[in-house]
Amino acid sequence: MAPFAGYDMPIQYPLGVMKEHLFTRGQCGLFDVSHMGQVTIRAKSGNLAEAALALETLIPVDIAGLKLGRQRYGFFTNQAGGILDDLMVSNRGDHFFMVVNASRKADDIAHLRAHLSDVCDIDVLEDRALIALQGPHAEQVLAEFCPEVTSMAFMDVETDDLHDIDCIVSRSGYSGEDGFEISIPAKDTETVVRRLLDHPDCEMIGLGARDSLRLEAGLCLYGNDIDETTTPVEAGLTWAIQKVRRNGGARAGGFPGAHRILEELDNGPARLRVGLKPDGKAPIRAHAKLYADDAGQDLLGEVTSGGFGPSIDAPVAMTYLPVSHAAAGTRVFAEVRGKFLPATVSALPFVTPGYRR
């Protein structure tokens, strides 16, 4: 156990980080992510379209076009175009359901209330837990309790009955594998978790493996790979900004930092988030300085996330590099304990995603 965002969180369970990682890739891992924030946003008028347009003043994605029973990845931005937090938002019919990061939960809720309270009611769901099933057997495991999930597609959201317990189930993932996120009334969480763990293909997985799984999948961790100084375009998250919010779109701009973000969408940013594959087996960790030369004269940046990728049996890392050095195949050098270790710029992700499209 270790402190994380004000919670005591499990780093690993008896299997250990390496085996937990590979078990998730091969079967199904169960993650306790109850530390994350669960929020509902309702229009005071009862008109969901008003809540959608209100959210679009804070988030540069197409909320108004989000269909019933679907969710989208998005982010709050600041006036400089930086990312305040990344999040998931879903259309639940009479309200939007949002999941935000634990480390930013209090700030996000204050941000929503400060800007939307005139139009929307913002409610924090303090009485619900959140778990995630990740892996190629996730559907098989969950379907034994709720056969309806077999018809869900990637980014679907619905209310399902798990043995007489009403749960909000979404299908996405933070590991690069097919997976489900399940919001459960807190009083019923242990019951649901123990039932799932009775399945031989399901094991509890801690934060250690969660980090290595998402790193292999090329996914950002807020505070490491994205923060208030990184724009969505620099971070390679342009796929999350639909055409309707871009220049020429029906609802272009209108969100914090729109001038910079739209300019970078049209003309490109000065730097880009890229993958790195170090030579050899030694991992290159976060904050290691990166240089264009092996003498440490031409500083390019620093590693934002790094570690060992058990699925590919090799170290992997992510960083931001000037566009002049961001092409796949470019050689750079990481300073590790006084030595300059070579690494090669790589496309992301490092593993082939297993999402159900």
Side-chain angles (χ1 to χ4, degrees):
M1 304 290 285
F4 179 79
Y7 295 82
D8 285 326
M9 296 294 293
I11 300 301
Q12 64 182 32
Y13 290 90
L15 278 181
V17 174
M18 180 78 74
K19 289 182 179 178
E20 289 175 21
H21 178 112
L22 295 174
F23 195 93
T24 304
R25 286 268 184 258
Q27 285 112 325
C28 173
L30 192 156
F31 301 78
D32 179 3
V33 288
S34 301
H35 58 308
M36 300 182 78
Q38 301 181 65
V39 184
T40 61
I41 300 107
R42 287 180 167 83
K44 292 180 182 294
S45 67
N47 183 353
L48 189 68
E50 291 185 12
L53 293 177
L55 280 170
E56 287 190 359
T57 66
L58 303 180
I59 304 172
V61 305
D62 180 11
I63 306 296
L66 185 57
K67 294 180 180 179
L68 175 65
R70 295 287 291 167
Q71 70 175 357
R72 280 204 168 113
Y73 173 79
F75 24 78
F76 293 124
T77 52
N78 62 22
Q79 293 298 333
I83 300 171
L84 295 173
D85 195 14
D86 60 339
L87 53 92
M88 299 295 283
V89 59
S90 59
N91 181 339
R92 301 284 295 145
D94 63 348
H95 68 278
F96 289 104
F97 175 59
M98 182 180 290
V99 178
V100 299
N101 286 304
S103 62
R104 299 291 298 172
K105 180 164 55 176
D107 296 289
D108 290 347
I109 293 162
H111 186 61
L112 284 165
R113 287 176 171 160
H115 294 280
L116 304 189
S117 287
D118 288 347
V119 178
C120 299
D121 292 319
I122 314 297
D123 292 310
V124 184
L125 305 183
E126 303 281 11
D127 60 345
R128 298 189 75 87
L130 190 66
I131 62 171
L133 285 174
Q134 298 285 294
H137 295 183
E139 179 185 283
Q140 173 186 330
V141 170
L142 190 55
E144 292 195 10
F145 303 91
C146 181
E148 292 83 358
V149 300
T150 60
S151 64
M152 293 180 71
F154 186 62
M155 299 300 258
D156 277 352
V157 184
E158 62 187 33
T159 299
D160 286 316
D161 182 333
L162 272 65
H163 285 219
D164 299 323
I165 299 170
D166 281 342
C167 299
I168 303 169
V169 180
S170 60
R171 189 168 198 166
S172 58
Y174 191 65
S175 62
E177 300 293 338
D178 184 21
F180 298 87
E181 299 74 45
I182 310 167
S183 174
I184 314 167
K187 63 183 178 60
D188 299 314
T189 306
E190 186 175 344
T191 299
V192 172
V193 167
R194 289 192 181 277
R195 286 174 179 169
L196 292 168
L197 289 175
D198 282 340
H199 197 290
D201 286 353
C202 187
E203 289 279 357
M204 289 296 298
I205 310 296
L207 281 182
R210 186 168 184 251
D211 193 52
S212 57
L213 287 160
R214 68 92 193 167
L215 178 55
E216 285 185 345
L219 298 174
C220 297
L221 175 64
Y222 192 87
N224 286 46
D225 312 293
I226 50 174
D227 57 29
E228 295 184 27
T229 69
T230 57
T231 72
V233 186
E234 292 175 328
L237 302 176
T238 55
W239 54 267
I241 305 175
Q242 290 74 31
K243 289 182 180 180
V244 72
R245 305 303 312 278
R246 302 185 183 202
N247 283 331
R251 298 191 310 284
F255 50 84
H259 175 76
R260 179 179 177 185
I261 292 170
L262 294 178
E263 193 276 331
E264 287 185 352
L265 281 168
D266 288 342
N267 301 309
R271 61 175 187 159
L272 287 169
R273 180 173 64 94
V274 297
L276 287 179
K277 288 186 175 179
D279 290 8
K281 292 288 186 179
I284 297 174
R285 305 291 181 182
H287 306 301
K289 301 295 184 185
L290 293 169
Y291 296 87
D293 62 292
D294 60 4
Q297 299 299 309
D298 186 2
L299 179 66
L300 297 174
E302 67 176 41
V303 171
T304 55
S305 287
F308 192 77
S311 306
I312 60 173
D313 193 30
V316 290
M318 291 195 294
T319 185
Y320 287 82
L321 290 176
V323 291
S324 58
H325 289 75
T330 303
R331 299 285 277 173
V332 297
F333 298 86
E335 185 177 6
V336 180
R337 293 186 293 275
K339 297 181 179 180
F340 296 93
L341 305 182
T344 302
V345 175
S346 167
L348 295 169
F350 300 105
V351 296
T352 303
Y355 306 126
R356 175 170 172 177
R357 300 294 186 179

